[in-house]
């Protein structure tokens, strides 16, 4: 009996190694596609239903450390970003594809960075294998083995929250190969997709209560961490800036179009709401193999996750899309606009009598 044991163990080992090799070879021989990322709120062109089998999808992101203006008053943030934007670009693949990301940290940067993909399995979501100092780059491949919208963020040892609240997060969307479906299995398609990244920011103030401006990241670090530890954000913004998605920067749609809104928050809870509209189908936790919820008024995005809401616009107008903690929206900045063109439907809503003096 005892003599058999090592043999069995060896056989098991051989089996698992062969399995490992087989899947690695599989990824190595799959077709490859190179995707050029685009800045949010836009998302790179992609198939909703996969037209072919799994492939290796290549992406490159370059880390940019830079000072960014985060409101209309000229307040600055010493930001750290994936590809220069807050949030970083949204990547789209299908379940069963392999994501192959090259992360570039130019030597003009000051900090080490990496990427932790919540969609990935093992090695701190890839953070351990992508840790790049200024002047280095690394390439990570992982299998997208579950569908959904997932946050990715920087997670360098000893300074994870600072890098995240300085701008380093984004979303990857892993679509089911057959596309999105309602709970009855009916196909759900979108005409447009927008990606919104919400950030809580912690800008230090000077003795006179004025926001401080720093020349370098390193200089901003001590004061910023002190503000962070109070857990009271100075700003809460969509896409890096108060007003990044309002007025002239509003998202657009037409009556009859179905829009997918991806909403991520890598650090803090939030609750998106579309004033005057709804979430027809909402994957609140963002995971497409769970049935979506119907007709939501407000949905909850847990800090460290990304959710997705699908809505077909029925009326024209300017819709506010905001965090329905209204103080966070109106006082701190967490709001955007969706400008919708089309014909008004009186059946859905009509002003029967305009405001006028109360009859005496
Ligand atoms: Cu970083």
């Amino acid at each position: 009996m005892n003599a058999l044991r090592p043999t069995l163990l060896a056989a098991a080992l051989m089996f698992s190694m062969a399995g490992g090799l087989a899947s690695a070879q599989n990824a190595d021989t799959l077709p490859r596609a190179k995707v050029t990322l685009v800045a949010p709120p836009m998302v790179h062109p992609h198939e909703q239903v996969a037209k072919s089998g799994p492939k290796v999808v290549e992406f490159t992101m370059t880390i940019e450390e830079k000072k960014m203006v985060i409101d209309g008053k000229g307040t600055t943030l010493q930001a750290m970003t994936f590809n220069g934007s807050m949030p970083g670009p949204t990547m789209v693949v299908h379940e069963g594809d392999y994501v192959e990301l090259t992360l570039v940290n130019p030597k003009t940067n000051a900090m080490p960075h990496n990427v932790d993909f919540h969609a990935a399995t093992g090695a701190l979501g890839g953070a351990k294998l992508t840790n790049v100092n200024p002047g280095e780059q690394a390439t990570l491949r992982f299998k997208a083995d579950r569908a959904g919208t997932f946050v990715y963020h920087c997670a360098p040892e000893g300074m994870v929250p600072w890098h995240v609240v300085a701008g380093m997060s984004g979303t990857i969307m892993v679509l089911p190969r057959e596309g999105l479906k309602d709970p009855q299995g009916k196909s759900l398609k979108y005409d447009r997709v927008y990606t919104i990244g919400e950030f809580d920011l912690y800008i230090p103030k000077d003795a006179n209560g004025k926001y401080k401006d720093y020349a370098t990241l390193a200089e901003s670090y001590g004061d910023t961490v002190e503000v962070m530890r109070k857990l009271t954000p100075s700003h809460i913004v969509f896409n890096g800036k108060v007003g990044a998605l309002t007025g002239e920067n509003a998202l657009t749609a037409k009556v009859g179009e179905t829009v997918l809104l991806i909403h991520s928050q890598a650090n803090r809870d939030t609750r998106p709401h579309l004033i005057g509209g709804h979430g027809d189908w909402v994957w609140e936790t963002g995971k497409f193999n769970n049935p979506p919820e119907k007709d939501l008024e407000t949905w909850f995005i847990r800090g460290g996750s990304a959710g997705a809401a699908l809505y077909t616009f029925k009326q024209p107008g300017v819709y506010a899309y905001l965090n329905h903690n209204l103080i966070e929206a109106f006082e701190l900045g967490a709001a955007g606009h969706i400008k919708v063109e089309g014909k008004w439907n009186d059946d859905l809503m009509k002003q029967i009598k305009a405001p006028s003096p109360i009859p005496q």
Side-chain angles (χ1 to χ4, degrees):
M1 277 303 277
N2 277 351
L4 260 179
R5 256 190 213 144
T7 322
L8 278 173
L9 187 65
L13 260 172
M14 296 264 291
F15 182 74
S16 70
M17 279 172 68
L21 282 174
S23 53
Q25 276 162 1
N26 182 28
D28 286 338
T29 54
L30 284 177
R32 301 178 77 82
K34 201 178 219 134
V35 170
T36 303
L37 292 166
V38 302
M42 309 316 278
V43 177
H44 66 80
H46 58 272
E47 294 167 356
Q48 294 181 42
V49 176
K51 291 192 186 119
S52 57
K55 52 186 181 231
V56 179
V57 188
E58 298 171 30
F59 300 98
T60 298
M61 290 201 297
T62 301
I63 294 153
E64 268 185 60
E65 297 169 359
K66 59 179 176 182
K67 185 148 78 170
M68 288 173 84
V69 174
I70 52 143
D71 62 17
K73 296 171 192 145
T75 306
T76 61
L77 165 73
Q78 278 289 341
M80 298 182 260
T81 68
F82 289 108
N83 252 22
S85 62
M86 284 172 67
T90 290
M91 300 170 216
V92 185
V93 299
H94 285 91
E95 195 174 351
D97 285 347
Y98 291 79
V99 175
E100 196 169 290
L101 171 77
T102 298
L103 187 64
V104 181
N105 190 1
K107 65 173 190 295
T108 43
N109 284 343
M111 297 282 157
H113 302 280
N114 60 28
V115 59
D116 168 355
F117 279 102
H118 289 189
T121 307
L124 311 178
K128 217 170 166 179
L129 309 177
T130 52
N131 214 63
V132 279
N133 287 307
E136 293 180 336
Q137 66 176 54
T139 302
L140 172 77
R141 185 178 69 205
F142 74 88
K143 187 172 190 173
D145 70 346
R146 57 206 69 215
T149 47
F150 294 86
V151 157
Y152 67 81
H153 64 88
C154 188
E157 211 181 332
M159 38 183 184
V160 181
W162 179 42
H163 282 233
V164 172
V165 301
M168 295 195 85
S169 75
T171 300
I172 181 164
M173 177 160 73
V174 182
L175 287 167
R177 297 207 79 79
E178 61 286 1
L180 301 178
K181 292 193 169 161
D182 76 7
Q184 278 70 49
K186 199 179 143 263
S187 174
L188 296 170
K189 294 273 179 61
Y190 44 87
D191 301 301
R192 295 170 190 252
V193 51
Y194 291 119
T195 192
I196 295 118
E198 184 171 337
F199 288 84
D200 42 320
L201 304 176
Y202 303 84
I203 310 297
K205 285 180 174 169
D206 65 18
N208 303 317
K210 209 171 153 276
Y211 286 118
K212 281 177 145 176
D213 177 81
Y214 296 92
T216 66
L217 260 175
E219 204 185 290
S220 75
Y221 176 70
D223 292 352
T224 304
V225 171
E226 210 174 295
V227 181
M228 281 162 54
R229 290 179 68 94
K230 296 195 171 82
L231 294 169
T232 305
S234 59
H235 300 72
I236 301 182
V237 300
F238 289 178
N239 291 25
K241 186 182 180 181
V242 178
L245 302 177
T246 61
E248 279 186 1
N249 306 319
L251 307 175
T252 59
K254 293 192 175 82
V255 169
E257 280 184 339
T258 300
V259 179
L260 184 72
L261 297 167
I262 302 169
H263 196 115
S264 68
Q265 223 301 8
N267 191 62
R268 196 170 183 272
D269 300 341
T270 183
R271 48 207 69 71
H273 172 88
L274 180 65
I275 299 181
H278 302 91
D280 287 338
W281 293 107
V282 180
W283 293 267
E284 195 178 71
T285 59
K287 305 308 170 279
F288 297 131
N289 289 323
N290 301 307
E293 286 190 89
K294 181 94 185 105
D295 297 336
L296 297 197
E297 60 177 307
T298 299
W299 41 102
F300 185 67
I301 306 295
R302 296 141 185 81
S305 76
L310 197 66
Y311 183 59
T312 305
F313 282 93
K314 294 178 164 183
Q315 294 280 38
V318 178
Y319 291 71
Y321 173 78
L322 44 65
N323 172 344
H324 211 291
N325 177 321
L326 298 169
I327 302 161
E328 298 187 358
F330 290 94
E331 298 297 329
L332 300 190
H337 287 149
I338 306 176
K339 203 189 276 175
V340 181
E341 286 176 0
K343 204 169 161 281
W344 183 263
N345 180 345
D346 273 343
D347 185 46
L348 284 169
M349 185 180 281
K350 187 178 179 174
Q351 186 176 49
I352 302 300
K353 196 170 191 313
S356 58
I358 300 167
Q360 297 301 309

